[in-house]
Amino acid sequence: MKDFIIPDRDYGTPAAKSKQMVTLTIDGFDVTVPEGTSIMRAAAEIGISVPKLCATDSVDAFGSCRLCLVEIEGRNGTPASCTTPVAAGLKVTTQNAKLKQLRRGVMELYISDHPLDCLTCSANGDCELQDMAGAVGLRDVRYEAVQTHFRAKDTSGQVNAQYIPRDDSNPYFSYDPQKCIVCSRCVRACEEVQGTFALTIEGRGFDSRVSFGAKTDTALTSDCVSCGACVAACPTATLQEKSIIDIGTPERSVITTCAYCGVGCSFKAELRGDELVRMVPYKHGKANRGHSCVKGRFAYGYASHQDRILNPMIRENISDPWREVSWAEAMEFTATRMQGIIDKHGRHSVGVITSSRCTNEEAYLVQKLTRAVFMNNNTDTCARVCHSPTGYGLGQTLGTSAGTQDFDSVEHTDVVIVIGANPTDGHPVFASRLKKRLRAGAKLIVIDPRRTDIVQSPHIKAAHHLALTPGTNVAVVTALAHVIVTEGLFDEAFIRERCDWDEFQNYAEFAARPENSPESTALLTGVSAEELRAAARLYAKGGNGAIYYGLGVTEHSQGSTTVIGIANLAMMTGNVGRAGVGVNPLRGQNNVQGSCDMGSFPHELPGYRHVKGEGVREIFQKVWGVQIDDEPGLRIPNMLDAAVEGTFKGLYCQGEDILQSDPDTKHVAAGLAAMDCVIVHDLFLNETANYAHVFLPGSTFLEKDGTFTNAERRINRVRKVMAPRNGYADWEVTQMLANAMLKQSGRAPWGYTHPSQIMDEIAMTTPSFAGVSYERLEELGSVQWPCNEAAPEGTPLMHVDGFVRGKGKFINTEYVATDERTGPRFPLLLTTGRILSQYNVGAQTRRTANVAWHTEDLLEIHPHDAEVRGIKDGDYVRLASRAGETSLRAKVTDRVNPGVVYTTFHHPDTQANVITTDYSDWATNCPEYKVTAVQVGLSNGPSEWQKDYAAQAAYSRRIAAAE
Amino acid sequence: MSHESPHAKLIYMANQIAKFMESKPHAEGVALLASHINDFWEPRMRRHLFEVIDAGGEGLRPLVLQAAEKIKRPVSA
Ligand code: SF4
Ligand code: SF4
Ligand code: SF4
Ligand code: FES
């Protein structure tokens, strides 16, 4: 195990962005820094640490503690170095007799109102107050405070009204007010870094205290979203991780990448021995810049959850109980079964599903397994069910299947369109960066059926919220184009230079048709024409315009069409190819981008190259020594159809729970039940495992080496923090399976001994990864593909001097209403989403204390719709569609419009996908999760299906007792 | 709603593609529809599609039928 010790010093104040440099002298040393830098930071640059308490470089300086005083030649007094900016020629002294005395005085005051239990304090060794007492040479405290905040009773035995007991309500950190020095670092972190404004300083002077909103609010019941920014900022034991209180301070750290969402935050995993003590967002992480959300920061407990399966298990039939076996026996059994299927039903009767949760190297090996060992192209990935339309739409219009920007780009944006995405819940760290920009004055347009938090939150209000009817994205996007075209708001120079002018003419003619005007589409979309026109004008003419979109765009019958429409909007307004603009898909799972890059789709080899291309096949045939099938393979829904039909019999499914995450659960169950060999490779006995014959235990991101690629195409290292509890990293398990099969057919085995070798193979075969290697990643920290000879340091912004495909392509976006329509039996439209504390199907987050925030899926319904059905908040309701029915509790809220209901899909008991239908995107078969016609009514309890399902699940999860 | 037979589902999917391609100039629409199916449909799916086409193409939109001769007939595997 490697120990990465990276100096992580606190410079006291944030870096200044100015290009203008200033030279000054500090303690006799010259230092040159950007204009606007604080004296404190300038000193830190040359290794001089001015004592400080209220300053930290994640937030703006506040200047309240007066510990950081310095003297400046020719100026009066002793200014605070954290709030005093540098100026040319200043001569600064940070240490002399006068300053020493002043600082000791300040420390004495602090310490007189602070308990002196340092030895047993949980922050012992990790406390800046302690450090500063040492730094200023505090040796005694001359006065005893009469009034304190830390004594439960005052000196006369009376209850001390100033004493506030510890608040332990948050599952991950505690708030112990007696240790607070009221430096307000936490308050500023919550405002500036996270943007939640959950904390305030109440009262004045001696009475001032940190507070979670109203007096009655605890940390848990307040607006706090448990991002941990305040905890990281707090210099004392006041706000502290409970894991530190339990375990003690860590002694080493490893830099790695969060395995939850597509933001791909970098973390320092801090350990003592082999025990993970805490995860701290890594300051130098280029995606997150030192911030995190509750999932990555705290919700890692699933890795050691008792439900984790650590030994391989097999069974003849899915009605048998599981039998724990050795790895060797499991591989023998599996290889024999799979080979038997291939011998009997042909090589096209088996396939794989790669995971967007696993590493690039693992996804690459799984698709290689099907292409080079099974000898077909039947590989697909869970990205199918979320972002496949992104790949198609952006590939067609711009020429690459990926977002155009890095996250830093948002700092240069003037107008943001968020469409079909809920960043504060789905991509929280990006949302924090976005909100920071919005508070600085950028304008926001939200296109979403639901009033998501970003529409209105403290200090943020969307200029326009187009609350469209689910399923009408294309109509709205085309109407925006209509306004831009007919009002002449497009960027002719850009289009002439970068796109095909005739194609644009053709598109403009289409968009300008009267049926595409906002006035004509208003009835259909429910969006006011005036509002839409205003939004279009703002985006086209408001400066740098950037579009961020999510699954609310892709998971529709016309998902690909909407993506195309979004690309059209960006091209016609010239909003591509520089900082602050662009088209940015917000990816759901951590490695959706990577799994797509790695050739997980059945029609393309790594690097998005179609299998029909002889040249491309040739590259891989040489390296792999096999013949590659030139026909596209089956996609997930097609695999299931083929299974039901009897021509698809065996599936290796890595890190993916298709039974819970894919639509039309009954159809998925029927498909799985029809197969002869389902291999589930996962951490837990997931829902799909109910239909599996082989269970191969997986490893967590903490237990292996590899890389993830986030939504900005950034390849981040995942580093092994501890040994795999199940014995093997996932890539090793895939290799064992491949080798067991290769042995049976007398072929040469694979021989990877480290994931870096897999990356080398990727680099060798895939031009956009040609420059990527573990050494390079070590050097640069991370890199955004394409990374090759032309761009050895990677590519933060795409399409800078021209589109990847040559000329940007405008494609007509005809609105076709989904066939999933409301009617008398199913009058409401259901749309689905996710919430902050839970992740996807919840297999991980449900196994952490995050359940404190979300114990069950709720159905949001408008008061009007609720009232006519006699539904009250908290009632158990039945939710039915043409596909099936389930039941859950209702939450009555006007976040949704009348006619629309909304739920999350984090809990298997809810089985929200029993409801969703098998309609899908026309181009990619990405399922239409976001629109289902439903009816809602009062109910007494779980539906028949839920009961049957629960019984079947319990039955199929039996594990035979070991002899 | 679930599509009962594999044919019904494929007809539905082919028509969905057709609806997108219908907004293009005719020849381009025909060519792109065919290449879309060639690029993304596994031979088993194309075989089923041809079963429908060969039986008269009932339920398929005209553009699908017009593109039929450009769609690759799968060699029996
Ligand atoms: S955890 Fe985050 S949201 Fe909660 S108070 Fe701290 S900074 Fe604010
Ligand atoms: S809780 Fe910590 S960061 Fe906040 S004011 Fe108190 S000491 Fe400072
Ligand atoms: S879940 Fe996403 S936003 Fe949260 S820490 Fe992980 S990568 Fe960052
Ligand atoms: S650190 Fe400068 S005033 Fe507190």
Side-chain angles (χ1 to χ4, degrees):
Chain A
M1 218 173 301
K2 207 165 168 191
D3 193 355
F4 291 86
I5 300 189
I6 299 177
D8 232 359
R9 65 180 298 176
D10 182 350
Y11 287 82
T13 61
K17 294 242 162 77
S18 173
K19 298 232 155 43
Q20 203 66 45
M21 299 304 277
V22 170
T23 302
L24 69 160
T25 314
I26 300 177
D27 292 344
F29 298 98
D30 280 351
V31 54
T32 305
V33 291
E35 196 172 13
T37 304
S38 68
I39 289 180
M40 175 179 281
R41 189 174 176 107
E45 299 272 359
I46 49 170
I48 297 172
S49 306
V50 182
K52 64 177 185 59
L53 278 172
C54 69
T56 185
D57 59 10
S58 61
V59 293
D60 288 338
F62 190 59
S64 68
C65 75
R66 308 288 300 158
L67 195 63
C68 67
L69 310 177
V70 292
E71 278 195 315
I72 302 175
E73 206 177 282
R75 286 199 196 173
N76 288 336
T78 48
S81 63
C82 63
T83 49
T84 309
V86 294
L90 289 189
K91 288 198 166 49
V92 179
T93 306
T94 71
Q95 179 83 340
N96 61 26
K98 180 174 165 200
L99 292 170
K100 276 197 281 194
Q101 205 195 346
L102 283 170
R103 287 192 191 125
R104 274 190 203 164
V106 169
M107 279 310 291
E108 261 183 293
L109 266 174
Y110 274 113
I111 298 302
S112 66
D113 186 15
H114 198 87
L116 293 179
D117 58 357
C118 281
L119 276 181
T120 51
C121 175
S122 55
N124 188 4
D126 186 24
C127 172
E128 294 180 37
L129 190 65
Q130 202 177 46
D131 296 347
M132 287 307 118
V136 306
L138 184 73
R139 295 296 169 253
D140 61 87
V141 177
R142 285 165 298 175
Y143 33 78
E144 195 182 340
V146 187
Q147 264 195 310
T148 72
H149 292 103
F150 67 86
R151 288 198 200 95
K153 300 216 158 96
D154 68 17
T155 36
S156 59
Q158 294 291 310
V159 172
N160 177 5
Q162 292 287 351
Y163 175 81
I164 306 174
R166 192 157 97 173
D167 176 351
D168 273 326
S169 60
N170 183 295
Y172 298 118
F173 63 82
S174 67
Y175 169 52
D176 190 357
Q178 61 160 326
K179 308 235 158 141
C180 179
I181 58 170
V182 203
C183 66
S184 88
R185 275 159 66 159
C186 53
V187 176
R188 283 175 283 151
C190 191
E191 291 176 6
E192 295 173 30
V193 180
Q194 164 59 25
T196 292
F197 295 79
L199 294 172
T200 50
I201 302 271
E202 259 183 21
R204 287 166 168 275
F206 183 77
D207 289 335
S208 56
R209 309 304 290 264
V210 170
S211 142
F212 282 91
K215 263 255 165 344
T216 50
D217 274 338
T218 62
L220 189 66
T221 58
S222 72
D223 289 341
C224 168
V225 294
S226 197
C227 70
C230 57
V231 180
C234 181
T236 64
T238 314
L239 285 164
Q240 194 165 45
E241 295 92 351
K242 287 185 177 171
S243 59
I244 296 274
I245 300 175
D246 288 345
I247 303 170
T249 46
E251 42 93 25
R252 68 193 176 93
S253 65
V254 180
I255 308 297
T256 191
T257 304
C258 176
Y260 278 118
C261 87
V263 177
C265 296
S266 298
F267 277 89
K268 274 199 320 193
E270 297 190 338
L271 300 110
R272 174 157 287 278
D274 217 10
E275 185 169 20
L276 184 57
V277 180
R278 66 176 166 189
M279 297 283 281
V280 189
Y282 182 46
K283 227 159 100 170
H284 307 288
K286 293 189 184 116
N288 55 321
R289 305 277 177 203
H291 191 35
S292 65
C293 83
V294 61
K295 292 190 285 280
R297 182 117 161 52
F298 296 118
Y300 49 81
Y302 68 86
S304 48
H305 194 277
Q306 58 182 27
D307 284 356
R308 230 183 116 179
I309 306 285
L310 300 174
N311 295 307
M313 304 191 296
I314 59 173
R315 56 183 172 189
E316 263 322 299
N317 299 300
I318 59 170
S319 53
D320 299 337
W322 285 107
R323 197 157 59 80
E324 285 191 359
V325 293
S326 68
W327 280 99
E329 188 179 346
M331 289 302 161
E332 176 72 31
F333 175 89
T334 314
T336 307
R337 265 214 173 188
M338 291 297 270
Q339 195 58 52
I341 294 172
I342 294 173
D343 291 345
K344 189 156 160 221
H345 301 279
R347 64 189 164 95
H348 293 115
S349 59
V350 293
V352 299
I353 295 177
T354 73
S355 174
S356 298
R357 277 158 44 197
C358 289
T359 63
N360 286 321
E361 292 76 3
E362 287 162 345
Y364 178 87
L365 281 200
V366 173
Q367 61 91 31
K368 178 172 174 179
L369 175 71
T370 212
R371 295 202 155 106
V373 179
F374 300 167
M375 308 299 289
N376 62 44
N377 285 316
N378 294 332
T379 168
D380 207 355
T381 170
C382 32
R384 166 75 49 214
V385 302
C386 59
H387 264 293
S388 51
T390 290
Y392 180 81
L394 297 186
Q396 293 284 311
T397 48
L398 311 179
T400 80
S401 304
T404 61
Q405 310 297 111
D406 58 4
F407 287 136
D408 286 349
S409 161
V410 76
E411 292 169 15
H412 307 277
T413 298
D414 302 309
V415 180
V416 180
I417 299 188
V418 172
I419 164 165
N422 181 2
T424 50
D425 285 289
H427 304 85
V429 165
F430 168 70
S432 290
R433 301 188 66 181
L434 169 63
K435 289 202 280 187
K436 188 168 190 166
R437 181 66 198 153
L438 295 173
R439 287 196 305 275
K443 298 276 185 299
L444 173 68
I445 299 164
V446 177
I447 306 178
D448 201 291
R450 190 167 162 265
R451 195 179 70 237
T452 51
D453 284 343
I454 196 86
V455 173
Q456 190 160 13
S457 61
H459 302 274
I460 286 177
K461 190 169 184 336
H464 306 284
H465 175 207
L466 313 183
L468 76 181
T469 302
T472 61
N473 286 333
V474 170
V476 169
V477 168
T478 307
L480 289 169
H482 175 96
V483 177
I484 292 168
V485 167
T486 55
E487 296 189 7
L489 307 173
F490 50 86
D491 182 344
E492 180 167 344
F494 181 92
I495 301 169
R496 282 193 185 275
E497 186 197 327
R498 304 282 300 267
C499 308
D500 185 313
W501 182 251
D502 290 338
E503 259 170 22
F504 173 70
Q505 293 292 306
N506 183 3
Y507 179 71
E509 182 274 316
F510 162 79
R513 287 180 202 160
E515 69 262 28
N516 289 327
S517 76
E519 288 73 18
S520 323
T521 48
L523 215 58
L524 179 81
T525 62
V527 174
S528 116
E530 213 173 305
E531 192 84 15
L532 190 145
R533 281 189 183 272
R537 290 173 197 137
L538 178 60
Y539 171 68
K541 290 289 168 200
N544 283 342
I547 305 179
Y548 292 86
Y549 71 89
L551 306 184
V553 159
T554 53
E555 289 176 348
H556 285 282
S557 292
Q558 281 199 290
S560 292
T561 316
T562 310
V563 174
I564 290 169
I566 287 172
N568 288 342
L569 285 179
M571 289 189 293
M572 75 172 79
T573 53
N575 277 317
V576 191
R578 59 180 191 277
V581 299
V583 177
N584 307 278
L586 292 171
R587 309 281 181 164
Q589 309 199 56
N590 55 320
N591 203 34
V592 169
Q593 181 70 54
S595 68
C596 296
D597 300 343
M598 290 300 108
S600 295
F601 287 133
H603 62 282
E604 55 198 15
L605 285 154
Y608 304 97
R609 291 165 294 168
H610 201 284
V611 292
K612 70 186 173 192
E614 212 181 305
V616 180
R617 286 204 312 278
E618 190 52 41
I619 296 172
F620 287 92
Q621 284 171 178
K622 268 219 190 91
V623 179
W624 295 349
V626 295
Q627 201 63 29
I628 295 172
D629 200 324
D630 63 354
E631 285 278 15
L634 295 167
R635 301 174 283 197
I636 294 173
N638 315 141
M639 288 181 191
L640 294 164
D641 292 341
V644 170
E645 175 194 294
T647 61
F648 189 81
K649 294 284 186 187
L651 179 67
Y652 170 49
C653 185
Q654 181 176 70
E656 177 57 10
D657 194 359
I658 56 170
L659 185 60
Q660 204 191 340
S661 64
D662 285 39
D664 199 358
T665 307
K666 290 179 181 174
H667 182 64
V668 180
L672 289 170
M675 294 186 207
D676 291 340
C677 185
V678 174
I679 308 157
V680 167
H681 182 183
D682 212 317
L683 300 173
F684 304 104
L685 273 177
N686 61 20
E687 307 303 307
T688 308
N690 297 345
Y691 291 89
H693 306 83
V694 179
F695 185 90
L696 302 174
S699 52
T700 69
F701 76 110
L702 296 168
E703 301 166 344
K704 58 196 180 190
D705 281 303
T707 55
F708 291 151
T709 308
N710 76 354
E712 16 152 51
R713 294 169 278 106
R714 184 183 301 287
I715 306 164
N716 271 317
R717 268 302 306 277
V718 176
R719 292 191 178 88
K720 188 163 157 182
V721 170
M722 54 180 74
R725 289 183 66 217
N726 58 322
Y728 295 100
D730 294 338
W731 62 271
E732 294 176 285
V733 174
T734 305
Q735 170 161 283
M736 280 195 284
L737 177 60
N739 286 347
M741 292 198 61
L742 290 167
K743 192 167 149 207
Q744 293 205 349
S745 52
R747 290 181 281 167
W750 297 353
Y752 304 103
T753 56
H754 190 271
S756 62
Q757 298 159 343
I758 306 173
M759 182 51 86
D760 292 342
E761 186 173 314
I762 298 165
M764 186 162 72
T765 51
T766 308
S768 49
F769 280 72
V772 183
S773 67
Y774 279 31
E775 292 83 68
R776 198 94 192 104
L777 291 171
E778 218 58 69
E779 256 168 66
L780 299 175
S782 66
V783 67
Q784 288 173 274
W785 67 255
C787 171
N788 47 31
E789 228 165 82
E793 310 240 310
T795 313
L797 301 177
M798 300 274 278
H799 317 291
V800 173
D801 303 310
F803 287 103
V804 171
R805 73 182 298 282
K807 293 273 184 193
K809 188 172 176 62
F810 286 95
I811 301 175
N812 289 0
T813 51
E814 185 97 47
Y815 171 69
V816 179
T818 169
D819 287 315
E820 181 65 16
R821 279 182 209 152
T822 53
R825 277 180 62 215
F826 302 106
L828 302 171
L829 282 177
L830 168 74
T831 183
T832 57
R834 58 169 77 189
I835 64 152
L836 171 68
S837 59
Q838 298 292 328
Y839 171 71
N840 208 23
V841 296
Q844 289 131 299
T845 42
R846 275 185 288 112
R847 291 183 172 92
T848 68
N850 277 24
V851 290
W853 289 276
H854 185 79
T855 46
E856 59 183 332
D857 293 322
L858 296 172
L859 184 78
E860 290 187 5
I861 183 167
H862 189 271
H864 173 77
D865 291 326
E867 199 189 323
V868 298
R869 288 170 177 77
I871 294 167
K872 293 183 304 304
D873 203 62
D875 281 349
Y876 222 63
V877 295
R878 168 180 165 275
L879 174 68
S881 75
R882 292 178 185 91
E885 67 173 77
T886 188
S887 44
L888 69 174
R889 275 180 214 288
K891 180 178 172 159
V892 179
T893 168
D894 65 357
R895 266 178 187 260
V896 288
N897 279 341
V900 177
V901 290
Y902 166 90
T903 189
T904 50
F905 56 94
H906 300 303
H907 290 268
D909 297 336
T910 320
Q911 291 283 333
N913 281 329
V914 173
I915 304 302
T916 52
T917 64
D918 66 354
Y919 287 120
S920 65
D921 175 49
W922 64 269
T924 66
N925 268 185
C926 178
E928 183 165 60
Y929 283 125
K930 298 291 180 182
V931 199
T932 312
V934 294
Q935 178 58 295
V936 177
L938 281 168
S939 126
N940 307 323
S943 70
E944 283 307 312
W945 162 266
Q946 277 168 298
K947 281 187 239 162
D948 291 353
Y949 185 87
Q952 196 271 347
Y955 184 72
S956 75
R957 284 197 182 122
R958 290 164 303 144
I959 300 176
E963 288 99 74
Chain B
M1 186 193 78
S2 270
H3 303 276
E4 287 87 42
S5 81
H7 286 164
K9 198 161 181 168
L10 290 175
I11 292 169
Y12 184 85
M13 285 164 54
N15 287 345
Q16 257 186 309
I17 301 168
K19 281 187 198 161
F20 180 80
M21 300 299 174
E22 280 160 14
S23 69
K24 296 175 182 292
H26 183 75
E28 195 189 339
V30 169
L32 287 174
L33 187 147
S35 65
H36 189 91
I37 290 186
N38 287 336
D39 282 355
F40 295 102
W41 285 28
E42 201 254 4
R44 253 169 282 189
M45 300 166 67
R46 301 206 308 270
R47 185 167 312 122
H48 285 310
L49 180 67
F50 274 109
E51 285 161 15
V52 177
I53 292 171
D54 294 346
E58 202 192 315
L60 288 170
R61 293 176 84 86
L63 198 69
V64 182
L65 295 172
Q66 286 149 13
E69 68 181 53
K70 291 206 166 71
I71 299 176
K72 268 196 347 209
R73 259 178 206 273
V75 278
S76 52

